Amino acid sequence: MSSVLTDLCRYPIVQAPMAGGASGPQLAAAVSEAGGLGFLAAGYKTADGMYHEIKQLRALTGRPFGVNLFMPQPALADPGAVDVYRHQLAGEAAWYETPLGDPDAVGGDDGYEAKLAVLLDDPVPAVSFTFGCPTRDTLDALAGVGTYTVVTVTTPEEAQAARWAGADAVCVQGVEAGGHQSTHRDDPLADGTGIGLLSLVAQVRETVDLPIVAAGGLMRGSQIAAVLAVGAQAAQLGTAFLVCPESGANPLHKQALTNPLFAGTALTRAFSGRPARGLVNRFIREHGPYAPAAYPQIHYLTAGLRKAAAASGDAQGMALWAGQGHRMARELAAGRLVDLLVEELDAARTALDAGRAR
């Protein structure tokens, strides 16, 4: 690990910032206390809401942690396509007895500037970015207050852009990852063309000289050993922590991860208008093929449906974000999970060393 990452966490384990309620203060604190690096997800929150969660987290741990921000999104959505999708979802609204949301009620910047202002005024140890790369001025400003910056990337080209902008590290997200793909440009023509994590880490390692945090489908310490072997300095896990009691994920979501009824995952625009990996359910099968590229408009359009489905106990209408390794989830306290991952990582390294000695 790089010296700065070593200062932030004892072990090369980062808890992914999962927006939507899963990655709250309790989970982040438990991971940081165990020697990993816990992260708060500021996406879909107000700047004030983010600030209060930071205060809660600081009351729970004195160890380093991070906060993740969504980059502002360009207004590229076709209103006509959004309207067509709205009509397609009319049956869902009737079934769940709830109105569809207003796709234009909230802007595409997710309160970015206000959140940055808070983080510059009251700095945190680390800040990561999703859906794009900040400007050099922004990254320099965060560096000036002592914050370590990480830009999430999905291609070597995006990693190069992050390096040019002055990021301290890149989070390399493979196509196996659960939740939204953090592409810097949402191009429908690129759907389904994502790169697998091991190959992507190796390519990024040869492209930029930045520390790499590897993310995508990682559930075991042996997998962490694999990404470290190909050039990463740390591993980021999301789905693995989703089932922990400290996670704020809906109980139906937690149960679905290991339920044989949900046999696999798929990348879909059905719930948000942006490619995201989730457990294949009825909603994805019926609406995924027709969902337009319109983020965050579709996210807000379907918000009420997702909430109503959860309230009625219907996982078939929920966004069940999950990585490809979801069936390997273990229902353990977050601190115990970190300990077990470290034990598995050490065992994998010992086995590798023994093999080399033969």
Side-chain angles (χ1 to χ4, degrees):
M1 294 177 67
S2 74
S3 59
V4 177
L5 277 175
T6 303
D7 291 340
L8 289 174
C9 50
R10 180 181 177 188
Y11 304 120
I13 297 172
V14 179
Q15 165 249 312
M18 297 170 281
S23 300
Q26 290 73 28
L27 179 60
V31 172
S32 289
E33 281 291 303
L37 182 63
F39 256 88
L40 288 176
Y44 308 131
K45 293 184 174 71
T46 64
D48 188 58
M50 178 194 74
Y51 175 70
H52 284 291
E53 286 207 346
I54 292 172
K55 286 181 62 178
Q56 293 175 42
L57 178 51
R58 283 177 168 147
L60 294 170
T61 182
R63 296 180 181 271
F65 62 89
V67 174
N68 175 259
L69 300 183
F70 285 175
M71 291 296 299
Q73 297 300 290
L76 299 176
D78 177 357
V82 173
D83 195 51
V84 168
Y85 196 56
R86 170 190 284 279
H87 286 295
Q88 182 179 330
L89 296 179
E92 299 284 350
W95 175 257
Y96 290 116
E97 299 180 337
T98 189
L100 294 170
D102 181 353
D104 300 312
V106 181
D109 68 352
D110 198 52
Y112 177 73
E113 293 295 339
K115 291 171 185 176
L116 269 181
V118 170
L119 295 171
L120 289 171
D121 183 62
D122 190 8
V124 298
V127 171
S128 67
F129 298 87
T130 296
F131 300 150
C133 183
T135 64
R136 173 169 286 278
D137 286 347
T138 294
L139 293 173
D140 285 349
L142 287 167
V145 296
T147 295
Y148 191 78
T149 56
V150 184
V151 174
T152 309
V153 302
T154 62
T155 66
E157 293 75 20
E158 290 174 354
Q160 186 69 270
R163 178 181 177 275
W164 288 336
D168 292 315
V170 287
C171 177
V172 174
Q173 184 196 50
V175 72
E176 306 93 333
H180 284 99
Q181 296 287 291
S182 187
T183 53
H184 290 191
R185 178 173 174 266
D186 185 12
D187 180 4
L189 296 179
D191 285 4
T193 63
I195 306 172
L197 181 60
L198 288 179
S199 177
L200 183 57
V201 168
Q203 291 179 49
V204 171
R205 176 74 287 155
E206 294 192 3
T207 303
V208 299
D209 55 352
L210 291 176
I212 292 172
V213 179
L218 304 177
M219 303 293 289
R220 296 287 187 268
S222 58
Q223 294 172 294
I224 296 174
V227 295
L228 297 182
V230 295
Q233 281 69 49
Q236 179 171 285
L237 293 78
T239 305
F241 287 106
L242 202 58
V243 296
C244 294
E246 298 92 342
S247 160
N250 187 286
L252 290 172
H253 191 169
K254 294 183 179 185
Q255 294 161 12
L257 293 174
T258 53
N259 186 338
L261 180 65
F262 302 97
T265 65
L267 286 170
T268 183
R269 293 179 181 270
F271 293 105
S272 72
R274 216 181 200 279
R277 184 173 297 281
L279 299 177
V280 178
N281 59 6
R282 178 193 61 79
F283 198 99
I284 287 178
R285 286 192 296 269
E286 293 184 1
H287 303 294
Y290 313 105
Y295 178 86
Q297 288 84 355
I298 302 303
H299 168 81
Y300 293 112
L301 182 69
T302 66
L305 296 178
R306 290 178 275 122
K307 185 176 180 179
S312 64
D314 183 10
Q316 295 295 334
M318 297 170 58
L320 304 171
W321 303 138
Q324 288 184 340
H326 64 96
R327 295 297 291 275
M328 300 166 71
R330 298 176 283 197
E331 193 175 344
L332 300 169
R336 174 56 189 143
L337 179 56
V338 171
D339 291 342
L340 184 55
L341 290 168
V342 172
E343 292 170 13
E344 294 170 345
L345 171 60
D346 289 343
R349 284 171 160 168
T350 298
L352 181 60
D353 290 341
R356 287 171 175 166
R358 289 176 187 158

